């Protein structure tokens, strides 16, 4: 639970930036460049964070193996929340000139380092606290922070654009409020993470003094190909996902001169709803039957189909099972009937 809460707060901070970049940053920080170039520069600051996310992951992994997982997770939480809150206090280009976009870029880089460190620390923390036969599922729980963070970021911004600071007020001051709210989230996340015990795996390593001098080097020496392959596989998934979370769809759909021209609030509410639906497809969340029971029922159905195939093969009939394909709903129905 602590890793889910922490990653939710981290990704709220990370996504609130992408939302604001698509809606107002081109006007607030890059206005002299013009509307089109200003929007490109705004999105460039979103993208620059990805250059520094691997650095954050390396730092979190390296020092997490040396000083502890919990300490690094608290540090990444404070770093992300501090950078996000400071963005809400930044002067605009009209007030500070070139200093404004430079400060914005620096704080975004800090967000990127923190996001990489969060991912590099939350997953090992969740996995190492779980029993050996549940570590795969435990490692999936921090991923829930992505849709939860998106849901909060778009939902809070929709509240600002539709209720609290609609119209010009959002451009004047309303955009700052979601960033400043991060101060509250930092406090919640800090208390939760400080209450969690250190990883038992790290504690055992510390007791036996099994600490590698340069863990990153050992990682690439032993598993370099696997690391590169996993990064390349995930790149495609990220590219599609950040079309929404990076602010592009928000900007495209709300551009008054564009082909869609929708209002800010309806688009943000649609993204909020999509983030809620995304939760349904994440590992560890099942609104129907328990995953373990569903898997057992599925194994029973598949075993029966194989036995039927072997029986028909012995009888000289077709091995191909007749009837329609067993679906997920069939498995759910069978599980419910068995439970009753």
């Amino acid at each position: 639970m602590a890793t889910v809460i922490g990653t939710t707060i981290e990704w709220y901070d990370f996504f609130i930036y992408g939302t604001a970049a698509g809606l107002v940053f081109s006007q607030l920080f890059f206005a002299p460049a013009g509307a089109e170039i200003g929007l490109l520069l705004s999105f460039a600051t979103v993208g620059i964070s990805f250059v520094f996310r691997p650095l954050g992951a390396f730092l979190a992994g390296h020092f997490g193996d040396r000083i502890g997982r919990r300490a690094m997770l608290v540090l990444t939480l404070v770093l992300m929340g501090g950078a996000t809150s400071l963005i809400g206090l930044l002067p605009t280009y009209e007030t500070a000139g070139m200093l404004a976009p430079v400060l914005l870029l620096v704080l975004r880089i800090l967000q990127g380092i923190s996001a990489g460190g969060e991912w590099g620390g939350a997953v090992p923390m969740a996995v190492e606290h779980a029993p050996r036969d549940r570590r795969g599922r435990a490692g999936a729980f921090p991923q829930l922070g992505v849709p939860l963070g998106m849901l909060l970021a778009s939902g809070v911004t929709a509240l600002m654009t539709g209720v609290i600071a609609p119209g010009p007020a959002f451009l004047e001051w309303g955009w700052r409020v979601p960033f400043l709210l991060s101060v509250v989230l930092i406090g919640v996340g800090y208390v939760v993470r400080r209450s969690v015990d250190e990883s038992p795996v790290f504690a055992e390593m510390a007791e036996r003094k099994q600490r590698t001098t340069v863990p990153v080097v050992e990682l690439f020496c032993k598993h370099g190909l696997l690391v590169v392959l996993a990064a390349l596989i995930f790149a495609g998934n990220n590219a599609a996902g950040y079309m929404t979370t990076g602010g592009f769809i928000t900007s495209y759909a709300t551009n008054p001169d564009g082909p869609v021209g929708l209002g800010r609030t309806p688009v943000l509410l649609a993204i909020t709803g999509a983030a809620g639906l995304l939760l349904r497809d994440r590992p560890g969340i099942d609104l129907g039957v328990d995953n373990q029971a569903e898997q057992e029922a599925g194994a029973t159905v598949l075993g029966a189909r194989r036995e039927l195939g072997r029986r028909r093969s012995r009888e000289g009939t077709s091995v191909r099972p007749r009837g329609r394909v067993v679906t997920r709903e069939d498995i759910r129905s069978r599980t419910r009937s068995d439970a009753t």
Side-chain angles (χ1 to χ4, degrees), residues 96-167:
M98 280 299 298
L99 179 62
V102 170
L103 291 175
L104 180 69
L105 182 62
V106 170
L107 292 175
R108 181 58 178 175
I109 289 173
L110 292 179
Q111 280 192 326
I113 294 174
S114 177
E118 171 69 24
W119 214 238
V123 175
M125 188 72 162
V127 169
E128 292 172 0
H129 267 285
R132 289 187 178 273
D133 59 341
R134 295 293 182 92
R135 287 183 174 178
R137 185 174 181 180
F141 272 94
Q143 181 72 10
L144 295 174
V146 176
L148 284 172
M150 190 69 239
L151 189 150
L152 284 177
S154 54
V156 169
T157 309
L159 182 64
M160 296 303 302
T161 60
V163 180
I164 300 176

Side-chain angles (χ1 to χ4, degrees), residues 32-94:
E36 295 181 357
I37 301 300
L39 185 60
L40 288 176
L41 291 173
S42 181
F43 283 141
T45 63
V46 175
I48 195 68
S49 65
F50 290 90
V51 178
F52 290 89
R53 280 176 64 175
L55 174 61
F58 289 154
L59 291 174
H62 177 82
F63 290 104
D65 284 347
R66 296 178 66 83
I67 65 175
R69 315 280 195 253
R70 186 178 68 171
M72 289 307 301
L73 286 176
V74 171
L75 179 60
T76 58
L77 181 72
V78 173
L79 179 63
M80 174 68 88
T84 304
S85 301
L86 288 175
I87 290 174
L89 299 173
L90 282 180
T92 62
Y93 187 92
E94 183 180 2

Side-chain angles (χ1 to χ4, degrees), residues 198-272:
E198 182 56 86
S199 159
V201 175
F202 175 80
E204 183 179 349
M205 291 170 55
E207 184 178 350
R208 297 181 180 181
K209 298 182 180 181
Q210 296 177 341
R211 299 189 185 183
T212 306
T213 305
V214 188
V216 172
V217 174
E218 182 175 341
L219 170 67
F220 276 93
C221 287
K222 293 184 177 180
H223 311 287
L225 180 61
L226 182 61
V227 171
V228 173
L229 181 61
L232 292 175
I233 290 173
F234 202 67
N237 174 60
N238 261 6
Y242 279 97
M243 292 286 285
T244 300
T245 58
F248 171 77
I249 289 180
T250 309
S251 173
Y252 180 81
T254 59
N255 182 2
D257 299 324
V260 182
L262 296 174
R264 292 170 178 168
T265 305
V267 173
L268 290 167
L269 289 175
I271 294 174
T272 303

